[in-house]
Amino acid sequence: MLIRSMLKQNRSWILGYSIGTSVYLFFLAAIFPSIQETGLIEAKLESLPPELLDVFQINASMAMDNVLNLLSSNYYGLIFYVLAVLFALTFASKLLAKPVDSGEIMLYMAAPISRVTYVMSSFVVLIVAVGLFVGLNGLSLMVADLLFDLQIDYAVLWMLQLNGALMLLVLGVAAYVIASLFDDSSKSYMVTGGIFTFFLVMNIIQGVSDQFDWMSNLSFFSLFDAGAIMREEYWGIHFIWLLGLLTIFSALSFFRFTRKDLTIQFSEINCRV
């Protein structure tokens, strides 16, 4: 019942991310044959400085070989990172930060619904949201492949989706942990956004020069490397890291929220749960 209520309350942003990104992918895949024939984008990419291409993880020599190569440097590069950050911030804000800030969560606790049940229900919503996000993305590309004969390698396609799903789950749960540290939703949003932006900047800077390769160790985003998957240089180590981080952040979420002092002010009355 709680999960159904949460899904109903959050369906607008879940469907927004899922359908919006899927339509974008379908449109890009649909026009790919025309783009490939003209050769204009390939010429433009080859004229750009190598350092700039490295920052955005673009391989100019492979970008136009097939639609997945194009997407690995287009959608599954910086665009996906930014979307993943916004997705995680939205999840943590809608499911924890704002309910705590507004006092809505007090109503759940008075139902009575245990804190563990609330966290577990929140994570079920996250899993459903991530599943729709990457699932519709993958299906939209499969439909485009059937309609336009794009010769997409489905094994690679779904490896990208699985890696992306794990990244979204890790960021979502990490944002949930940070949100549990604050009673003010705006402060939670700013701190989480600042941390994730730092990770994003570190991942971008490491592409500027080999001297900055060590910065990739400071960023979650280095664990999603679409280019490596496309080159079949992916041996699962990133999956292990992401699963490990997911386990750690999930445990921290339960530990922190079950011990969180939930306080709401009604005039001069201080109510605690």
Side-chain angles (χ1 to χ4, degrees):
M1 201 67 184
L2 176 60
I3 295 173
R4 183 183 303 174
S5 175
M6 284 181 164
L7 286 171
K8 186 176 181 179
Q9 291 175 7
N10 291 277
R11 64 186 174 188
S12 59
W13 68 266
I14 293 174
L15 292 176
Y17 279 105
S18 304
I19 296 175
T21 55
S22 299
V23 169
Y24 171 77
L25 287 173
F26 180 84
F27 174 77
L28 196 58
I31 64 173
F32 175 75
S34 299
I35 296 174
Q36 193 178 35
E37 285 180 8
T38 62
L40 293 177
I41 291 183
E42 191 171 10
K44 282 286 186 182
L45 291 175
E46 290 177 351
S47 67
L48 294 174
E51 294 79 10
L52 182 62
L53 296 176
D54 289 340
V55 167
F56 292 98
Q57 300 181 9
I58 299 174
N59 187 328
S61 63
M62 295 177 57
M64 300 305 297
D65 286 354
N66 59 67
V67 68
L68 288 185
N69 275 334
L70 176 64
L71 291 176
S72 70
S73 57
N74 180 285
Y75 176 75
Y76 292 107
L78 186 60
I79 293 176
F80 182 81
Y81 297 154
V82 173
L83 285 172
V85 168
L86 294 175
F87 180 92
L89 289 173
T90 304
F91 163 71
S93 176
K94 295 286 188 180
L95 273 297
L96 186 60
K98 286 186 177 178
V100 169
D101 195 4
S102 66
E104 178 186 346
I105 203 165
M106 300 284 284
L107 300 176
Y108 289 115
M109 300 297 102
I113 294 171
S114 70
R115 298 185 185 215
V116 171
T117 299
Y118 186 84
V119 175
M120 290 181 65
S121 299
S122 299
F123 287 177
V124 170
V125 173
L126 175 61
I127 292 170
V128 171
V130 170
L132 278 174
F133 190 118
V134 300
L136 288 181
N137 280 191
L139 288 175
S140 69
L141 289 174
M142 289 181 69
V143 171
D145 180 50
L146 293 174
L147 293 176
F148 306 107
D149 190 24
L150 301 174
Q151 299 182 352
I152 292 177
D153 185 333
Y154 290 165
V156 173
L157 170 63
W158 288 105
M159 183 68 75
L160 283 169
Q161 305 314 311
L162 180 57
N163 197 179
L166 287 174
M167 175 59 66
L168 289 168
L169 287 172
V170 168
L171 290 177
V173 177
Y176 199 88
V177 173
I178 299 171
S180 70
L181 301 176
F182 302 95
D183 294 325
D184 187 323
S185 59
S186 60
K187 185 181 294 184
S188 165
Y189 200 89
M190 287 188 293
V191 172
T192 309
I195 293 173
F196 286 172
T197 300
F198 170 78
F199 290 152
L200 187 57
V201 170
M202 291 299 100
N203 198 66
I204 292 174
I205 292 177
Q206 65 90 23
V208 174
S209 171
D210 292 341
Q211 296 178 356
F212 301 125
D213 281 349
W214 60 272
M215 288 188 175
S216 64
N217 297 323
L218 304 177
S219 174
F220 290 161
F221 297 106
S222 63
L223 299 176
F224 180 72
D225 190 342
I229 294 177
M230 293 302 304
R231 296 189 300 272
E232 299 183 359
E233 297 174 356
Y234 202 87
W235 298 102
I237 188 65
H238 290 177
F239 279 78
I240 296 173
W241 273 104
L242 287 169
L243 288 172
L245 288 171
L246 182 60
T247 301
I248 292 170
F249 286 132
S250 297
L252 287 175
S253 296
F254 282 99
F255 178 82
R256 172 58 191 163
F257 187 70
T258 54
R259 288 162 176 75
K260 182 177 177 61
D261 181 23
L262 298 174
T263 304
I264 182 172
Q265 298 289 334
F266 292 105
S267 300
E268 296 181 355
I269 302 175
N270 188 31
C271 300
R272 296 177 182 273
V273 174

